[in-house]
Amino acid sequence: MTTRRTLRLALVSAAPTPALRAARFPDDEGLDADGLRRTAAAARTLAAGPLAAGALPGRARVLIDDSARARQTARVLGLSARAGETGVRVETALRDLDVGDWRGRELSEIPSADLLRWHEEPTMAPPGGESRQALVTRVSTWLDGLAGEAEHVIAVSHPAIVRAVLLTVLRCPPEVFWRIDVAPLTATLLHRRASLPDAAGAADAAVHWTLTHACRPL
């Protein structure tokens, strides 16, 4: 007999950086004073009581990509305590959308025709970067790999990753990508009924993610 359990996945959007406020494509920059202050305030809210803490699983495997802002966000939020002995681990599939040669540049520096194509064409990639279609494929593959997880997951990442997850789970067309507003320091929570193998080693593959809440402030 196949045993089914609920797997919870919480996607945490990293704290804001100077690039976000300056309307430029991010490079691997850390949090400034304002970002650290806002993250510390979110950490206090999470620690305030059961209702606030319910935005994230109490015990979970904690994953980040290898960016400075994701590392700092996880550290200031105190997520290592939720991760237990395994600690916070790096998952490369959670890396931000790669904008290639546009990294670190202001929007005004990019030809408007190129920005328009990038916004409208899911297969268009900046020079040296990746397309939104490639991003969604990467994230979808990562989600498929969570099917056999035996513990809840908290993933600290970026708005593009959250959008790609929602497109995949809700089966939305690519045009919806830019219509999803993912604010910093918000949590998107999903769950799925994961099947654990029975005595014969078989598991039911017909499981689906369900959205519990989207972009809830921490």
Side-chain angles (χ1 to χ4, degrees), residues 186-212:
T186 57
T188 295
L189 185 64
L190 306 103
H191 69 271
R192 70 181 298 174
R193 295 290 293 174
S195 298
L196 303 180
D198 57 20
D204 180 10
V207 291
H208 303 280
W209 290 100
T210 299
L211 179 64
T212 305

Side-chain angles (χ1 to χ4, degrees), residues 95-100 118 124-126 128-132 134-135 138:
R95 66 187 183 278
D96 201 2
L97 176 65
D98 185 358
V99 295
W118 181 66
M124 189 275 190
E130 69 177 334
S131 67
R132 279 182 285 136
L135 170 73
R138 164 163 51 100

